[in-house]
Amino acid sequence: FFFLCNLSLVPAAASKSKVKGSQGQFPLTQNVTVVEGGTAILTCRVDQNDNTSLQWSNPAQQTLYFDDKKALRDNRIELVRASWHELSISVSDVSLSDEGQYTCSLFTMPVKTSKAYLTVLGVPEKPQISGFSSPVMEGDLMQLTCKTSGSKPAADIRWFKNDKEIKDVKYLKEEDANRKTFTVSSTLDFRVDRSDDGVAVICRVDHESLNATPQVAMQVLEIHYTPSVKIIPSTPFPQEGQALTLTCESKGKPLPEPVLWTKDGAELPDPDRMVVSGRELNILFLNKTDNGTYRCEATNTIGQSSAEYVLIVHDVPNTLLPTTIIPSLTTAPVTTSVTITTSPSTSASSSSRRDPNSLAGQNGPDHALIGGIVAVVVFVTLCSIFLLGRYLARHKGTYLTNEAKGAEDAPDADTAIINAEGSQVNAEEKKEYFI
């Protein structure tokens, strides 16, 4: 009505003059896109205008502004600029119902109009992930659904796991009850394993109303799985006399606690030297009796797992002793040559028969080498005694034989001694030696 009243007040002569000069006049507008809840600016310009009125009307053909006069009582609509060349208005707190085609009219004869389409973008709601129930067992098939509503046009949903996009997903778009916005959902199916434990699965919603800042929803996975076990020795080359620590590294969800240590399928044989502390087995003063297969078992509510370690205790490298010279104990020259030949197999056998309780960490001589030296000394001594006995026996026999010569024809013992060769009568001097 306001528009009709204004037209009735215009004199006929003035109308004729405007028609005559209106040939180069034409209103110019532009389409506008605004996010729901934002503010839209509608601008109508005329390059050449001879004081002809401009008017903005909404999609329902209701007049909003006629020049600088407000026609529709709506507090959201305000005048921005009004002149003979431009009429600009603003619509704040835009809703989806404001979308449509707006008209700018230039009241020439005939009236010239220009259309501007106002597009209102529906902002998608924050996405929600459903379908996850904690915990999930390793090997189970998981189905996650990400859903968002209120987008216009329909939003795009993308899935990421470990910052890597997953392409093989299902996508569903449904129109909302207002028949203007959409509800979008996407479903992700995959089979989980232990590497997925603690991984963040992200659902990302992209939409032009979000100004390049997507909305995201995140779900951290919790996967339960059987333990994985590994034994780590403190040294790769255990030797006699040393200490050894075996660490049972076990990973599982839930965490297995404690672990069980066994040796050769039975309990640990020497609790005083084999001490279990948490996941560690400490063996003090290694010896050959410790050789064997050690087993670590870890158990949780999902299952059991184990690992084995074969322990071989190595000998400490032998230290050669200096050569010892043994002096001769007899007056007779004695030469003894002893050759000891040791084959590799004999050496290995001797090494295996060593005292298992001997400590390799002590800096003492080798028992086998000492035994060999003692054997040589005993052998040389026995040979010396044997040779000395033979020498004394032969010397005494010669003495008795010489003493008995000439006694065969003597009538009595005194005559025989006197007539004997080498007697005191004929001999200058008789000597006896006692040793």
Side-chain angles (χ1 to χ4, degrees):
F1 295 109
F2 182 83
F3 168 67
L4 294 177
C5 291
N6 276 277
L7 287 180
S8 62
L9 296 176
V10 178
S15 299
K16 290 182 180 180
S17 63
K18 290 181 180 180
V19 173
K20 181 178 179 181
S22 64
Q23 298 299 326
Q25 297 175 341
F26 199 88
L28 300 174
T29 59
Q30 289 183 336
N31 295 332
V32 177
T33 299
V34 65
V35 177
E36 184 180 11
T39 300
I41 305 296
L42 300 174
T43 300
C44 180
R45 291 187 177 89
V46 179
D47 293 335
Q48 298 178 6
N49 189 3
D50 53 358
N51 300 332
T52 304
S53 297
L54 293 172
Q55 172 187 285
W56 271 111
S57 57
N58 61 17
Q61 296 303 314
Q62 295 173 318
T63 301
L64 302 179
Y65 264 88
F66 185 82
D67 288 337
D68 59 352
K69 298 177 179 61
K70 187 175 183 179
L72 187 65
R73 292 183 178 180
D74 190 337
N75 294 331
R76 300 180 304 127
I77 303 174
E78 298 290 341
L79 179 64
V80 176
R81 178 178 297 178
S83 67
W84 297 116
H85 297 282
E86 180 182 340
L87 178 60
S88 296
I89 63 174
S90 65
V91 182
S92 60
D93 194 17
V94 175
S95 63
L96 294 175
S97 60
D98 293 324
E99 185 176 76
Q101 186 170 270
Y102 289 73
T103 304
C104 175
S105 301
L106 177 64
F107 288 98
T108 57
M109 293 298 292
V111 177
K112 296 180 180 179
T113 61
S114 179
K115 307 293 185 180
Y117 197 89
L118 176 61
T119 301
V120 180
L121 301 178
V123 181
E125 298 176 357
K126 184 176 178 59
Q128 300 290 333
I129 297 178
S130 61
F132 179 77
S133 59
S134 179
V136 179
M137 303 302 169
E138 182 179 23
D140 288 353
L141 182 65
M142 178 178 291
Q143 185 177 82
L144 300 179
T145 300
C146 181
K147 187 175 182 180
T148 179
S149 301
S151 61
K152 179 181 172 296
D156 183 30
I157 296 180
R158 301 167 68 185
W159 287 95
F160 294 86
K161 187 173 75 168
N162 283 337
D163 297 328
K164 183 179 180 181
E165 184 174 1
I166 304 174
K167 296 290 188 179
D168 188 15
V169 296
K170 300 176 183 178
Y171 183 83
L172 179 63
K173 179 178 69 174
E174 297 177 339
E175 195 175 56
D176 293 336
N178 58 15
R179 306 186 66 83
K180 292 182 178 293
T181 58
F182 296 89
T183 294
V184 181
S185 61
S186 179
T187 302
L188 170 65
D189 296 327
F190 66 100
R191 195 171 298 278
V192 299
D193 57 32
R194 62 186 60 196
S195 64
D196 294 321
D197 183 52
V199 170
V201 177
I202 296 176
C203 164
R204 193 176 87 181
V205 175
D206 294 311
H207 194 262
E208 53 186 304
S209 66
L210 300 176
N211 296 325
T213 305
Q215 292 183 344
V216 297
M218 183 175 66
Q219 178 64 63
V220 179
L221 304 181
E222 182 182 359
I223 311 300
H224 282 194
Y225 53 93
T226 56
S228 60
V229 182
K230 180 171 63 175
I231 297 178
I232 303 175
S234 59
T235 174
F237 194 78
Q239 297 179 352
E240 282 189 288
Q242 293 181 342
L244 176 66
T245 299
L246 300 179
T247 302
C248 182
E249 187 180 88
S250 58
K251 297 179 181 179
K253 195 79 175 277
L255 185 66
E257 183 71 33
V259 297
L260 176 64
W261 284 98
T262 58
K263 179 190 176 186
D264 297 329
E267 295 182 356
L268 298 177
D270 193 348
D272 294 334
R273 286 191 310 111
M274 300 179 179
V275 181
V276 177
S277 176
R279 288 180 169 79
E280 293 182 351
L281 171 61
N282 300 300
I283 305 177
L284 307 177
F285 304 110
L286 287 172
N287 57 58
K288 293 298 181 66
T289 62
D290 296 327
N291 289 343
T293 301
Y294 292 81
R295 181 184 180 92
C296 169
E297 293 183 359
T299 305
N300 62 8
T301 56
I302 309 303
Q304 178 183 357
S305 185
S306 63
E308 293 183 347
Y309 173 79
V310 178
L311 173 60
I312 300 177
V313 179
H314 299 273
D315 294 329
V316 178
N318 293 330
T319 303
L320 296 178
L321 297 176
T323 304
T324 303
I325 300 175
I326 304 174
S328 175
L329 301 179
T330 64
T331 57
V334 178
T335 303
T336 304
S337 177
V338 180
T339 304
I340 300 177
T341 303
T342 304
S343 63
S345 60
T346 304
S347 176
S349 175
S350 298
S351 176
S352 64
R353 289 193 298 269
R354 290 176 61 186
D355 184 7
N357 294 320
S358 63
L359 302 183
Q362 299 178 352
N363 295 325
D366 190 1
H367 296 288
L369 183 59
I370 294 176
I373 294 175
V374 172
V376 172
V377 172
V378 172
F379 180 76
V380 171
T381 303
L382 292 176
C383 291
S384 300
I385 294 173
F386 176 74
L387 293 175
L388 181 61
R390 290 190 62 184
Y391 174 78
L392 294 177
R394 288 182 180 180
H395 180 75
K396 183 176 182 181
T398 303
Y399 176 81
L400 294 176
T401 302
N402 292 332
E403 188 177 33
K405 287 183 179 180
E408 295 177 356
D409 299 330
D412 50 32
D414 294 334
T415 304
I417 293 174
I418 295 172
N419 294 335
E421 183 179 354
S423 63
Q424 294 181 357
V425 177
N426 298 324
E428 296 179 359
E429 186 179 3
K430 184 179 291 291
K431 300 179 179 179
E432 290 184 344
Y433 298 90
F434 296 93
I435 299 176

